[in-house]
Amino acid sequence: MITSRLPHVFFGGDYNPEQWPESVWLEDMRLMREAGVNLVSIGIFSWAKLEPRPGEYDFAWLDRIMDLLAKNAIFADLATASASPPPWLARLHPESLPQNASGTRYFPGARQHYCPNSAAYKSRAAELTRRLARRYKDHPALAMWHINNEYACHVSECFCDVCAAEFRVWLQARYGLIDELNRAWGTAFWSQQYSTWNEILPPRKAPTFCNPAQQLDYKRFMNDSVFELCLSEANILKQITPGLPLTTNFMGWFKPLDYFQWAKALDFVSWDSYPDPSLGMSEVANAAANHDLMRSLKGGQPFVLMEQAPSAVNWRTVNVPKPPGLMRLWSYQALAHGADGILYFQWRAAQAGAEKFHSGMVPHAGENTRVFSEIKQLGHELKKLDGILDSRVPAQVAIVMDWQSRWALELDSHPAPLQYVQQLRHYYDAMRELNIAVDFVAPEGDFSPYKLVLAPALYLVRYGGAENVRMFVARGGTFLTTFFSGIVDENDTVQTGGYPLLLRDVLGVWVEEWDPFPPGRRGTVQVHGSRDLVACDTWGEVVHLCGAKVLATFADGWYAGKPALTLNKVGEGRAFYCATQFERGFTLGLLENICADLKIAPPLEKIPSSIEVCVRSKPEADYLFVLNHSDMPQTVKLQKWKGVDLLSGKKAAGTLKLGPFGVAVIESK
Amino acid sequence: MITSRLPHVFFGGDYNPEQWPESVWLEDMRLMREAGVNLVSIGIFSWAKLEPRPGEYDFAWLDRIMDLLAKNAIFADLATASASPPPWLARLHPESLPQNASGTRYFPGARQHYCPNSAAYKSRAAELTRRLARRYKDHPALAMWHINNEYACHVSECFCDVCAAEFRVWLQARYGLIDELNRAWGTAFWSQQYSTWNEILPPRKAPTFCNPAQQLDYKRFMNDSVFELCLSEANILKQITPGLPLTTNFMGWFKPLDYFQWAKALDFVSWDSYPDPSLGMSEVANAAANHDLMRSLKGGQPFVLMEQAPSAVNWRTVNVPKPPGLMRLWSYQALAHGADGILYFQWRAAQAGAEKFHSGMVPHAGENTRVFSEIKQLGHELKKLDGILDSRVPAQVAIVMDWQSRWALELDSHPAPLQYVQQLRHYYDAMRELNIAVDFVAPEGDFSPYKLVLAPALYLVRYGGAENVRMFVARGGTFLTTFFSGIVDENDTVQTGGYPLLLRDVLGVWVEEWDPFPPGRRGTVQVHGSRDLVACDTWGEVVHLCGAKVLATFADGWYAGKPALTLNKVGEGRAFYCATQFERGFTLGLLENICADLKIAPPLEKIPSSIEVCVRSKPEADYLFVLNHSDMPQTVKLQKWKGVDLLSGKKAAGTLKLGPFGVAVIESK
Amino acid sequence: MITSRLPHVFFGGDYNPEQWPESVWLEDMRLMREAGVNLVSIGIFSWAKLEPRPGEYDFAWLDRIMDLLAKNAIFADLATASASPPPWLARLHPESLPQNASGTRYFPGARQHYCPNSAAYKSRAAELTRRLARRYKDHPALAMWHINNEYACHVSECFCDVCAAEFRVWLQARYGLIDELNRAWGTAFWSQQYSTWNEILPPRKAPTFCNPAQQLDYKRFMNDSVFELCLSEANILKQITPGLPLTTNFMGWFKPLDYFQWAKALDFVSWDSYPDPSLGMSEVANAAANHDLMRSLKGGQPFVLMEQAPSAVNWRTVNVPKPPGLMRLWSYQALAHGADGILYFQWRAAQAGAEKFHSGMVPHAGENTRVFSEIKQLGHELKKLDGILDSRVPAQVAIVMDWQSRWALELDSHPAPLQYVQQLRHYYDAMRELNIAVDFVAPEGDFSPYKLVLAPALYLVRYGGAENVRMFVARGGTFLTTFFSGIVDENDTVQTGGYPLLLRDVLGVWVEEWDPFPPGRRGTVQVHGSRDLVACDTWGEVVHLCGAKVLATFADGWYAGKPALTLNKVGEGRAFYCATQFERGFTLGLLENICADLKIAPPLEKIPSSIEVCVRSKPEADYLFVLNHSDMPQTVKLQKWKGVDLLSGKKAAGTLKLGPFGVAVIESK
């Protein structure tokens, strides 16, 4: 359980009382109670209010709101308020403003206008954190800490001179000797050899493609720089309030931050989910994948949906509302994938500022509205779900997710502009269509819980990662990887002698050359034992066997007849290699067969494609979530499942009927 | 009459004799006389010639050309020459160069490279104006003043430190106390609260969306800053030549400048019209709308078409010429909508410079050309039209045009990227198809001349504007407004409690939530009393009635059955509310019915769609302009109209035949 | 012969041993010998290795590799290593970094990060050149010099203050008096008149279109600035190693550098050719055109293909490999068009750096690969072709190529965005389809070898160029030019009085006005003596005859019936004028007829369209190259040709069979 102070499914949202007169606060309390709110995030953008002038603090208003919350039995997820510095910081410390690769400064007027290596920002944010922690450490409303907010969402890289200096320090720690850096970065290319550390700069705007290893190290350095900010606040909080859980809100696939690294510093993972209601099932699958990823960051511990929109957002070009029922459905989707809390941005729709057209739990039009009604309905329903708290999502399949591989894969001047997440999604989506639960795992993470590990587009492979795969397969695991995997080491240096050098023995193949497909080109593949041709796209390559057997071959082009899909048996295990992107249906069938072989079964078989089913388990009970993602009623056969639908309170067995966007949570003991 | 010195329809163009040897000047005079030119704009880009070195003036060449003009009975619209400072200004005062939001300077080499708050620019431009006024105040050729040129067309915003300082002064004057600014800007959002004025900056490039009220105030400040430049020159001229009319050339819909505010400082409005001949009737309608807007800026007083192209322009990607007859037709369109003068850019096509491929009245190929022939024909025809001078365009319908609402509507992070002019055009174009004259009016302007006032997308409503509507309707007026109107106050702060708060009583509806349509989505509407469905696009919303009756309802989506079009009766008046963008034909029918009810009739009924008819009136006579916008002959029934076609000199009654791009101006006494 | 030291077809590539441990060098020597490599380019990006710290040189490694080359009978094309300065240069001399028009610096991290007017860069590059020349002047491996590399490919313009100062010096030399510059630039327009030289700046980012003559002069100045760099190194080399040929590698159509000017400073022309294998015959034609242009730069002397890709490149979005046979075919295409050497970028595919995914002669997977096999095959075949060395490509047709006209044509604010190369290609491609050899020639170049000279889109015509045309036609030549030719003089000043003034007498027509076509618009033309209409696009215009006769007229639009194609007879010669872009087939037929009239015949008549035939000749023999650009076998009738196919060693006569991408080189004595 995330905190024993609040042994319920968290329900609430970002609360910004400083934007409203105090007269509104009392109405807020009444409405929060009506809606069943038990937790609010406060103070996220309050720095300027808490420290209106440098060193001059004002906590009186926050005292009042914290007391009011306590009086109303609502807990606070209290922010460290460092997400957006007050205007005076930029005036006192112009060098604290971040700079892009062209040297353009980002000015105040929005939010997050700080260089992550700014000493002034860091010391003042730390001081504010310290004062907040000391002042509220014993406050009865305080349930947990919310560090900063969506770290790096707008400024994930800064290229200023301060960062340049810190980068050199970081590089010295990493490489020790300048010649080691020269070797790692391959600076013999294009006359880039450094003779002293102080010649090194961030990968600023250059005449053409920058050194890729320099770019990759800069992404690592920036991830580490921002992480240092988080650690610095976390350490202060841990010292002053050792018993309180802390988190910072993540953003799903967000590329710049290696969340596997970050999650270790947090007590629980929380994240912000904003699918576009105007898009279809692919957007639903994306949300599911993100929930699974967030759950996986701390080994399956429950996470919190820290922000979602009650209805429309404001930052897309066209921002459509969530039609009736969709907000509820997507909330249950989060719970189904392992969340123990559902919160929103934000409590009350703002009147002013850049997000005034973002929906609130209480809309501009007030409490007598559709949106607030749906909020209330959900808040009360959730009280029936305390049983799911701390249950886990059992998964026998994992997909490898490696931020470093992604950073490197998506650098410039590659054979083709492959997108890492798109490659993962091809396999994730197929598993989701099969309704088989998936975890994500780091390449050096623990593969032992899984029967099947998929590692699409794992471009950068470290020695430890290759060893991990090798041991997993040797011990009987089934492994699958795809084209353009295992190409480079951690310095983005190509491993010569036939790709993918470090995985060659496991896969039983080596690749001689690649044939990336221009947009629109499609190829065909002949599956052995079948007469039909299968379509493929994105990529082809010339594969040679060194142990594997061929399951399918390319059927056109100058390498027709050469392997497109192979299987290698190693000890107890097996390793598949996909040399192209197969059409969706083929991938689905391939994974279905593999799962059938491995006796990995979905909770329900052969259900309509718009139905999602998920299971959460704890020793005493299993919970089957059945989610209808269509706006039409659906009927689902429950097969072996029997129990009670916690939402309706009725027995569930045999056939389940779900209304449009309907949900059932069947407890089976 | 604009000036009694020149009691004729003005005819001429921009004249840049400094680009040609004096030998050409004599030929110019001969050709101008041949063409019937009676007015030329001179000196617009002559600063460097008039003040070749700082403080060193040379008026000799201008004396000669002014004398030559006088000798040839051609009047001068003399420019203050401040539109483009000489290169020496940037060298002496680098800080006079404007800066964009990213801090990039705009350098000399083109034109308009000055910061509108540059003290150096301002004082030197003023000094030049003063000297010009003193020197030529009694010159017989001088008919009027042309202040600067197309203010702000390339540089409408500057973000430099000088502007930042002036912005603070402007804000102090507006808000008095910093806390008042904090309230107005909603700085409690995102920790933007200012503790002192000197923390405030222009809305420079920031990590994400800037504070919208800051952005809006910056647009106001920039409009005011540029207006100050104009006022400064106008005041000098008014003092030295109190009897001479002055103008500056506007640019139609041009967004950055609030021309209603500007027009007050001018003696007459003039503008530059450059429709693209490669586009169809929508471009013709756009020109018509702009003429009507320009006429409306000073309450219907005649305006001047200060610039149009004799044939092609040079600044589009592909610049097509005007085919034979089109230049003449479009000139008459300007007169039909209230112009008392037709001028061109420019007299003689240039040999050098960035506009050398812009057509001239005298083309590169000289006088024996199609273009010069058409110029001559028109110049001589216009002599027959002295009667129309100072006549007015009677209109019973007005469309509200509010620059501030437009600035605010088109800020970022809105529900959808609505374009203000596009919204106005939907209604304007329907009125134009009905051939019913339309004025534009400011939201706090005088509505009393009108039976019908349309206010599409009036997003920002000030208290005075709402009162104006309320009184108009109470006194029997018919008012129509549309979705996303009345959302915010003048600080861009949302008015909570059900939109549009300030117009709720007039409209008899309130709106709970919006459903902007993604591109390509279309909806349907059921009109009461009709069996057919009407298509709609752009927007849907959930409307509740509080007094109005429903005329049509949404026919699909989750708010099917809710109002899409309502009518509220208030006292003598009526107010329509459109909750979506109806398909063109429906809007046309709606307005046709409203006009029929109000007994607002077009000058001619049921004429072909490519025919435009307009009326100008004065006590002694009415003038019916009939314009054939197609390249095919057309026949028009004149119905009740009888008179003399001033162009052909023939009696006109019964049936009128017009050739391709043909025109008739029928005087009816 | 380029150098008597190496009397064979050059074969090899860029060799970067500094990227590899010395142990690999020995393997390199073995593989080079196996592949028949006789020449490698070395040192191109070795500056940082040769001068690791300012003034501290290290030639030991280069000594070793040069000795190794000599020992293995491989020659060195030794680079001056100035293409990419070491990181220390930017640290010592930040002002040496180039700046774009907005003032943004380009930083180190890639390559070519130097301002072409940087004194620091220039002196240090010169010193390194001097030391290299002195050290290796007598080395037995040294065959030739490779100055810098792909000059200006990433940074073709710099706008920094140093360049501004140098630009003023350049302008003073060109114009002498400031008033002469004012006249040439037409600064009377937009108040741009300069009173002193030091007011002049580069055409930096300005509020709108910069002065076109200023832009054009800046392109000239930048071309000259970069050329000065080349000259400075060439002069050092000529002094120290007077007997050794020197080159720098060009880039085909590359716009910023006037290669006709540059070629004069080189002993032979070399260039880098990178067609995209995913594109079709148009890409093949483009490569052919570039080969012909490169050959023409030094009057037909053999050139060297200095770089091509063994298979895929890395810098496109999607980089497809060359399928089997294509690399060989394209190599022979270069020889067929006049090359005496075939080299690659690069010898060994790199493991690190921005080009690690560019193919190498030795791929990542090593020597047992398709690519290395094809390299070896070709290397050995080429030994049979020593006979072609120094033979020439006889051409009776030339196309005028003028860099200055191109620079001016492609400036902004023109009637339409015509692309110079696209206009040339329309005519070049037709000639290529006819298999008739084409030279390119500068407008003031020697037209006397040609019967037919084509000059499409020759927008800027200098007096000498017009004279050249006039004399060519007078002496019996056939000349063809097209719309928008002869519009401006060398200052981009329009020649008034009916376009194209300077060519009016030759063409017998004058043009009154233009009608550029918006995208998608097509017109029709009536050919006299034919009943069918011919399609046209891009442009129409109003043409008047003054001596020419009409061959075709426009068939639609308001100038229907006016000339679209004319022919003028002048003395012995003829001049065609095309007032529009005819559909491809018509242009082909027109040129075919003209060639038939002039008795210009292709080496083979009526061959399949995927077959390219070219002839190289020397006094003792002719060489017929037959190239099959399709991936299907083809049969070609050899007609009058008889001889020996040098590749197969067999007699060739009658019918020739070519495999997919097959080639024959038939020697006929």
Side-chain angles (χ1 to χ4, degrees), chain A residues 408-464:
Chain A
L409 179 75
E410 295 176 0
L411 291 175
D412 49 43
S413 63
H414 275 204
L418 297 176
Q419 294 296 302
Y420 188 61
V421 167
Q422 203 178 357
Q423 294 300 313
L424 298 195
R425 284 285 305 279
H426 183 76
Y427 290 88
Y428 179 87
D429 287 13
M431 294 307 303
R432 208 193 78 87
E433 238 175 286
L434 298 170
N435 276 291
I436 291 173
V438 169
D439 281 348
F440 288 89
V441 64
E444 284 92 352
D446 181 8
F447 288 6
S448 66
Y450 308 111
K451 291 180 178 172
L452 172 61
V453 169
L454 311 170
L458 194 65
Y459 165 72
L460 180 156
V461 171
R462 291 170 294 271
Y463 183 76

Side-chain angles (χ1 to χ4, degrees), chain A residues 353-375:
Chain A
E355 294 187 329
K356 62 179 173 292
F357 293 119
H358 194 292
S359 57
M361 297 163 79
V362 181
H364 288 145
E367 63 187 285
N368 296 315
T369 48
R370 174 183 76 88
V371 168
F372 189 63
S373 302
E374 295 190 27
I375 291 286

Side-chain angles (χ1 to χ4, degrees), chain B residues 525-528 549-554 562-566 582 586:
Chain B
V525 165
Q526 176 70 60
V527 182
H528 288 200
K549 73 170 189 180
V550 179
L551 301 183
T553 50
F554 287 102
K562 292 234 158 64
L565 175 64
T566 63
F582 296 106
F586 180 78

Side-chain angles (χ1 to χ4, degrees), chain A residues 199-268:
Chain A
E199 288 163 17
I200 301 175
L201 291 168
R204 291 179 180 161
K205 189 185 179 67
T208 179
F209 307 122
C210 258
N211 181 299
Q214 179 190 11
Q215 291 186 65
L216 178 56
D217 268 352
Y218 209 71
K219 290 188 190 302
R220 289 176 177 133
F221 165 66
M222 274 292 146
N223 170 62
D224 287 355
S225 297
V226 183
F227 186 50
E228 277 299 315
L229 298 179
C230 179
L231 273 186
S232 142
E233 298 191 8
N235 289 339
I236 291 166
L237 298 174
K238 279 291 165 205
Q239 201 182 356
I240 300 174
T241 59
L244 282 179
L246 54 81
T247 191
T248 185
N249 45 344
F250 288 165
M251 287 166 290
W253 296 122
F254 189 63
K255 179 175 167 180
L257 305 184
D258 179 350
Y259 285 149
F260 275 115
Q261 169 188 332
W262 281 62
K264 295 193 184 97
L266 307 177
D267 292 308
F268 67 99

Side-chain angles (χ1 to χ4, degrees), chain C residues 206-417:
Chain C
T208 179
F209 307 121
C210 257
N211 182 299
Q214 179 189 12
Q215 290 186 66
L216 178 56
D217 268 352
Y218 208 71
K219 289 187 191 304
R220 289 175 176 132
F221 164 66
M222 273 293 146
N223 170 62
D224 286 356
S225 296
V226 183
F227 186 50
E228 276 300 314
L229 298 179
C230 180
L231 273 186
S232 143
E233 298 191 8
N235 289 339
I236 291 166
L237 298 173
K238 280 288 165 209
Q239 203 181 355
I240 300 173
T241 59
L244 281 180
L246 54 82
T247 192
T248 185
N249 44 343
F250 288 165
M251 289 164 290
W253 297 122
F254 189 64
K255 178 174 169 180
L257 305 183
D258 179 351
Y259 286 148
F260 274 117
Q261 169 188 331
W262 280 63
K264 295 194 185 97
L266 307 177
D267 293 306
F268 68 100
V269 166
S270 66
W271 84 288
D272 302 345
S273 177
Y274 289 103
D276 185 342
S278 79
L279 303 178
M281 280 305 281
S282 172
E283 192 78 352
V284 169
N286 196 58
N290 275 301
H291 289 311
D292 288 344
L293 174 60
M294 294 297 107
R295 181 190 68 238
S296 303
L297 294 174
K298 284 190 86 70
Q301 290 179 32
F303 62 94
V304 168
L305 181 58
M306 184 61 86
E307 294 183 19
Q308 67 170 339
S311 184
V313 301
N314 66 299
W315 40 264
R316 294 196 173 92
T317 308
V318 176
N319 300 288
V320 312
K322 293 181 178 170
L326 192 63
M327 179 273 287
R328 174 176 176 262
L329 173 69
W330 287 359
S331 300
Y332 282 108
Q333 189 191 31
L335 298 175
H337 284 267
D340 271 8
I342 298 296
L343 293 93
Y344 301 83
F345 180 84
Q346 61 178 335
W347 167 247
R348 194 179 268 280
Q351 282 191 278
E355 294 187 329
K356 64 179 171 291
F357 293 119
H358 195 292
S359 57
M361 298 163 79
V362 181
H364 288 146
E367 62 187 285
N368 296 315
T369 48
R370 172 183 78 88
V371 168
F372 189 63
S373 301
E374 295 190 27
I375 291 286
K376 276 191 298 188
Q377 181 201 344
L378 182 63
H380 288 284
E381 272 181 12
L382 290 182
K383 293 177 182 167
K384 308 173 187 168
L385 292 191
D386 283 350
I388 67 165
L389 283 180
D390 236 10
S391 62
R392 305 301 161 105
V393 173
Q396 297 174 294
V397 180
I399 293 178
V400 173
M401 165 80 184
D402 183 25
W403 264 267
Q404 303 212 5
S405 205
R406 179 182 186 186
W407 296 336
L409 178 75
E410 296 176 0
L411 290 176
D412 49 44
S413 63
H414 275 206

Side-chain angles (χ1 to χ4, degrees), chain A residues 45 48 52-53 84 87 91 104 107 109-111 154 314 317-321 323-324 351 354-357 364 369-370, chain B residues 189-193 195 198 204-209 211-212 413-415 417 492 494 496-497 499 512-516:
Chain A
F45 292 106
R53 271 158 294 273
S84 193
R91 190 165 167 260
T104 304
F107 280 89
R111 70 184 208 191
H154 305 299
N314 66 298
T317 308
V318 175
N319 301 288
V320 312
Q351 282 191 278
E355 294 187 329
K356 62 179 173 292
F357 293 119
H364 288 145
T369 48
R370 174 183 76 88
Chain B
F189 176 78
W190 280 359
S191 183
Q192 296 169 351
Q193 183 178 282
S195 61
N198 50 23
R204 291 180 180 160
K205 187 184 180 66
T208 179
F209 307 124
N211 181 299
S413 62
H414 275 206
D492 200 40
V494 173
T496 56
Y499 325 105
E512 182 184 336
E513 48 180 320
W514 305 305
D515 181 31

Side-chain angles (χ1 to χ4, degrees), chain A residues 6 11-18 24-33 36-43 61-79 136 139-144 343 347:
Chain A
L6 183 47
F11 186 68
D14 277 24
Y15 182 38
N16 299 297
E18 68 270 40
V24 173
W25 298 5
L26 294 174
E27 189 184 86
D28 287 336
M29 293 305 117
R30 174 177 65 79
L31 293 175
M32 282 183 189
R33 282 196 319 264
V37 165
N38 56 27
L39 182 68
V40 291
S41 302
I42 57 171
W61 68 273
L62 187 53
D63 293 349
R64 289 198 294 283
I65 199 76
M66 287 291 281
D67 293 348
L68 208 52
L69 289 173
K71 213 168 104 185
N72 284 276
I74 297 162
F75 283 94
D77 168 39
L78 184 56
Y136 297 105
H139 197 286
L142 182 61
M144 62 192 66
L343 292 94
W347 167 248

